Amino acid sequence: MFDLAGKVAIVTGGSRGIGRAVSIALATAGAHVLVNYRSNEDAAQETLRLIREGGGSGEILGFDVADPESVDECIKDAAKRLGHIDILVNNAGISIDQLLLRVSAKDLEMTWATNVNGALYCAKACIRSMMRHKWGRIINLSSVVAESGNPGQVVYSSSKAALLGMTRTLAREYASRGITVNAVAPGFIETDMTADLPDAARQSIIDQTPLGRIGRPEEVAAAVVFLASEEASYITGQVVRVNGGMHV
Ligand code: NAP
């Protein structure tokens, strides 16, 4: 439906879960997709295989988003090699769930290093190429809990709320350069991140979700592809909520 032919996209954490679905959906729309992963190269290769199986094009790109030198080196090298980076999806994320009294400095540092600093490093590394071509899309994966809060997720939810501030500020900073910056805030989506949730907690989430079910990664990917498209050119600084009505 949306045409991303000729665009180059980077999806951080494209090896699994939502990032895999986003990578496949962007490639299906015609983008050349750089599938980033941190450690799970086999999973990234599987994403690439699925992209190619669907007739799309892409490559894998291993780097840790929390390491500013690697981010800079890998993204700048890709931009030089491919000529441009048009779409950045800041999807890589981790969740360390603890009540405040049990939160350690290490939990906090690790989570923010990936979820917040990582997104900023990637945006910084991509923005020059986008400015040069006067066109760009940055899409940050936040979460329903950034806005609703959730007991036991103070570290994660605060990192995801930080991404909303980043989204709004970058939207204002780069609008005049033809770059839009938006966030997608998923509710509870079936991936490795949510796989270990006990049955009772899972049922309670379903009970709190008006659409009465858990979401699929492809349903999040559809919102990302729309925001990446030409058709979304007048949307910036916004949060698109893909949560089955869990938080309205
Ligand atoms: P997931 O299944 O746990 O996958 C996480 C992905 O992030 C993997 O591809 C992983 O790479 C990558 N990653 C983690 N740390 C990284 C780092 N430092 N550098 C590069 N890549 C890194 O997660 P998910 O459920 O798909 O979630 C994707 C995003 O959506 C996250 O930002 C998450 O917070 C957000 N979200 C998820 C849900 C949900 O219910 N699932 C809800 C709201 C928001 P490797 O494969 O190499 O480990």
Side-chain angles (χ1 to χ4, degrees):
M1 189 165 54
F2 298 110
D3 185 7
L4 298 178
K7 305 291 186 201
V8 175
I10 297 189
V11 180
T12 67
S15 46
R16 295 184 282 122
I18 294 171
R20 171 176 288 173
V22 167
S23 300
I24 293 169
L26 289 172
T28 302
H32 178 76
V33 180
L34 307 178
V35 179
N36 161 254
Y37 65 99
R38 177 186 47 184
S39 50
N40 200 337
E41 186 177 340
D42 288 350
Q45 289 287 7
E46 176 60 9
T47 301
L48 186 59
R49 192 190 67 73
L50 292 165
I51 284 174
R52 289 183 173 152
E53 191 178 76
S57 83
E59 53 195 274
I60 65 166
L61 196 60
F63 62 83
D64 181 346
V65 298
D67 175 350
E69 281 87 33
S70 304
V71 169
D72 212 47
E73 196 182 309
C74 292
I75 293 185
K76 283 190 178 151
D77 175 68
K80 204 168 158 190
R81 197 161 41 79
L82 298 165
H84 46 108
I85 304 285
D86 308 291
I87 300 162
L88 165 67
V89 183
N90 276 317
N91 166 81
I94 57 170
S95 176
I96 302 174
D97 297 341
Q98 292 288 6
L99 294 167
L100 175 65
L101 288 173
R102 291 175 187 265
V103 168
S104 70
K106 195 164 168 244
D107 296 340
L108 201 57
E109 279 160 21
M110 277 174 63
T111 307
W112 278 64
T114 297
N115 296 9
V116 184
N117 302 0
L120 277 168
Y121 298 146
C122 291
K124 193 177 169 198
C126 290
I127 205 87
R128 274 190 207 286
S129 172
M130 294 178 179
M131 284 167 66
R132 208 170 294 125
H133 292 88
K134 298 187 174 56
W135 197 97
R137 298 282 189 264
I138 299 176
I139 298 148
N140 298 316
L141 265 292
S142 179
S143 167
V144 64
V145 300
E147 298 180 301
S148 66
N150 194 28
Q153 288 201 301
V154 65
V155 176
Y156 179 73
S157 66
S158 57
S159 75
K160 292 292 169 181
L163 285 177
L164 299 184
M166 172 185 158
T167 299
R168 291 170 178 134
T169 295
L170 295 184
R172 289 179 184 275
E173 266 185 36
Y174 295 101
S176 64
R177 309 301 186 110
I179 301 167
T180 68
V181 186
N182 291 289
V184 170
F188 191 86
I189 309 296
E190 197 70 73
T191 68
D192 292 348
M193 187 178 271
T194 51
D196 293 338
L197 209 73
D199 286 349
R202 182 176 289 263
Q203 191 54 51
S204 156
I205 286 165
I206 293 171
D207 293 344
Q208 291 167 54
T209 304
L211 285 178
R213 63 175 175 85
I214 285 165
R216 289 180 286 111
E218 293 74 18
E219 293 173 308
V220 180
V224 174
V225 172
F226 167 61
L227 290 172
S229 72
E230 200 53 52
E231 284 79 354
S233 54
Y234 200 53
I235 301 175
T236 196
Q238 305 303 310
V239 185
V240 175
R241 300 167 179 88
V242 185
N243 62 24
M246 187 184 198
H247 181 69
V248 292

